[in-house]
C-alpha cells in the first residue's frame, strides 16, 4: 500500500476538527502522516490537532489555498490527501482511495460529500443543487472531473509539477478548482461516487456565503484564463492521450 499524507487546513473549527481526526485515526489503513495547517485559529484547534498526534504547521497568510499549499509542500508520502476540518471519513477511505492508484495513469481521485445536519428534504435538495451541480458543471468546464477539496487524493509528483502555478495566496480563488485547472489535461482524475465524505451542512445554510462562493468560482475560472477553456483542454487530451504524471524531484 502506498504511503499517504493527509493535509487538513483549519481555522477556528476545533470541535469539527476533533471528529475529522478521530475518523482518520480509525482507518483500516492508517495514513503515514496527518498534517494540520493552522491558519491563525483563536480557538482550541491547535491543541486538538496536537492531542490527536497530528503534525501542526502554521500558515500566517489567510486563505485556504495558502494553508493547503503549505501542507502539500510539507507532505512526504507518495500520495497527498486533502480533507477539510469538517470532513468525517468512512473507515476504509484511505484504503479505497489509495487502491485507485494501482493504475499508473491515475493522477488524482476525488469523491462527493454528503451534507450532515440538514433535514431530509434539505439534504436531498443541496445534494442535487450544490454537490451534483458542482461536479456536473465543473466537469463540463474542465473536460474532466474536478477535485473536491473536502475529499481528494493526488500523487505527490502531480503537486510538485504544478505547485508554482497555483494561485495559493489569492483568497478569492477556489483552491481545489484552481488545482484542477493547473493539472495537465492529459492527466487522469477519477471521480469515485462510492468514496463519500460526510461534510457539514452549515455552509449551504449561509446565503451570503453561497454568493461569495459563486463569485469565487467566476474569479477562479477567469484568473486561470485559457487553462480553464474546455475545447482547448479536450484538444490537448486528444493530441496527447492520457499519460502518467512526470517524475518531479522535490527541490
Amino acid at each position: 500500500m502506498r504511503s499517504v499524507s493527509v493535509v487538513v487546513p483549519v481555522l477556528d473549527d476545533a470541535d469539527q476538527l476533533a471528529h475529522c481526526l478521530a475518523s482518520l485515526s480509525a482507518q483500516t489503513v492508517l495514513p503515514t502522516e496527518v498534517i494540520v495547517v493552522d491558519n491563525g485559529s483563536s480557538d482550541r484547534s491547535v491543541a486538538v490537532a496536537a492531542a490527536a498526534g497530528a503534525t501542526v504547521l502554521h500558515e500566517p497568510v489567510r486563505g485556504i489555498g495558502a494553508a493547503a499549499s503549505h501542507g502539500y509542500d510539507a507532505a512526504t508520502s507518495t500520495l497527498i490527501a486533502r480533507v477539510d476540518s469538517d470532513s468525517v471519513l468512512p473507515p476504509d477511505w484511505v484504503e479505497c482511495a489509495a487502491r485507485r492508484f494501482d493504475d499508473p495513469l491515475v493522477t488524482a481521485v476525488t469523491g462527493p460529500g454528503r451534507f450532515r445536519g440538514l433535514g431530509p428534504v434539505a439534504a436531498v435538495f443541496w445534494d442535487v443543487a450544490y454537490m451534483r451541480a458542482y461536479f456536473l458543471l465543473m466537469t463540463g468546464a474542465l473536460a474532466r472531473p474536478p477535485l473536491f477539496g473536502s475529499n481528494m487524493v493526488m500523487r505527490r509528483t502531480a503537486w510538485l509539477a504544478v505547485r508554482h502555478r497555483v494561485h495559493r495566496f489569492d483568497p478569492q480563488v477556489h483552491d481545489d478548482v484552481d488545482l484542477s485547472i493547473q493539472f495537465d489535461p492529459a492527466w487522469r482524475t477519477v471521480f469515485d461516487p462510492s468514496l463519500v465524505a460526510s461534510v457539514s451542512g452549515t455552509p449551504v445554510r449561509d446565503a451570503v456565503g453561497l454568493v461569495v462562493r459563486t463569485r469565487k468560482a467566476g474569479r477562479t475560472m477567469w484568473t486561470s484564463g485559457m487553462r480553464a477553456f474546455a475545447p482547448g483542454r479536450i484538444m490537448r487530451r486528444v493530441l496527447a492521450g492520457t499519460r502518467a504524471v512526470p517524475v518531479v524531484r522535490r527541490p
Side-chain angles (χ1 to χ4, degrees):
M1 184 66 69
R2 291 167 179 80
S3 58
V4 180
S5 298
V6 181
V7 174
V8 189
V10 66
L11 173 61
D12 290 334
D13 202 16
D15 291 341
Q16 295 199 99
L17 177 64
H19 292 295
C20 174
L21 297 179
S23 72
L24 287 169
S25 68
Q27 294 292 302
T28 54
V29 174
L30 292 175
T32 308
E33 60 182 352
V34 176
I35 301 172
V36 174
V37 185
D38 176 58
N39 206 199
S41 297
S42 58
D43 68 354
R44 296 186 62 258
S45 293
V46 170
V48 166
T55 297
V56 180
L57 303 178
H58 298 276
E59 174 52 58
V61 178
R62 282 293 177 93
I64 196 167
S69 295
H70 189 161
Y72 302 155
D73 285 341
T76 60
S77 301
T78 302
L79 303 177
I80 302 176
R82 148 79 187 281
V83 299
D84 285 326
S85 55
D86 68 333
S87 300
V88 176
L89 298 314
D92 61 350
W93 185 80
V94 169
E95 181 178 3
C96 291
R99 192 180 300 128
R100 283 287 193 168
F101 293 89
D102 290 344
D103 182 345
L105 294 181
V106 171
T107 299
V109 175
T110 194
R114 179 175 294 130
F115 292 115
R116 63 178 181 271
L118 303 177
V121 174
V124 171
F125 174 81
W126 286 114
D127 177 64
V128 173
Y130 187 100
M131 196 63 60
R132 294 175 188 264
Y134 169 72
F135 281 105
L136 179 63
L137 294 175
M138 293 310 304
T139 297
L142 301 178
R144 69 157 169 231
L147 298 169
F148 177 47
S150 297
N151 183 8
M152 55 169 271
V153 186
M154 63 181 166
R155 294 188 188 273
R156 177 169 162 268
T157 48
W159 169 249
L160 294 178
V162 303
R163 62 185 297 273
H164 64 289
R165 292 205 299 261
V166 298
H167 301 86
R168 64 171 72 198
F169 296 125
D170 186 344
Q172 299 306 312
V173 163
H174 283 299
D175 68 295
D176 48 2
V177 176
D178 182 42
L179 182 56
S180 302
I181 293 170
Q182 305 311 326
F183 275 12
D184 190 287
W187 295 351
R188 184 181 174 203
T189 297
V190 172
F191 172 74
D192 184 348
S194 68
L195 195 71
V196 180
S198 170
V199 297
S200 172
T202 300
V204 298
R205 292 196 294 258
D206 179 5
V208 175
L210 288 172
V211 172
V212 171
R213 286 180 174 80
T214 301
R215 289 176 178 170
K216 288 176 65 175
R219 177 177 173 83
T220 303
M221 301 299 282
W222 175 263
T223 299
S224 299
M226 289 299 293
R227 281 190 170 274
F229 186 54
R233 298 179 69 87
I234 293 172
M235 183 59 67
R236 284 197 62 192
R237 180 178 290 183
V238 169
L239 294 175
T242 300
R243 61 170 178 262
V245 181
V247 175
V248 179
R249 298 191 181 281
R250 186 168 186 158

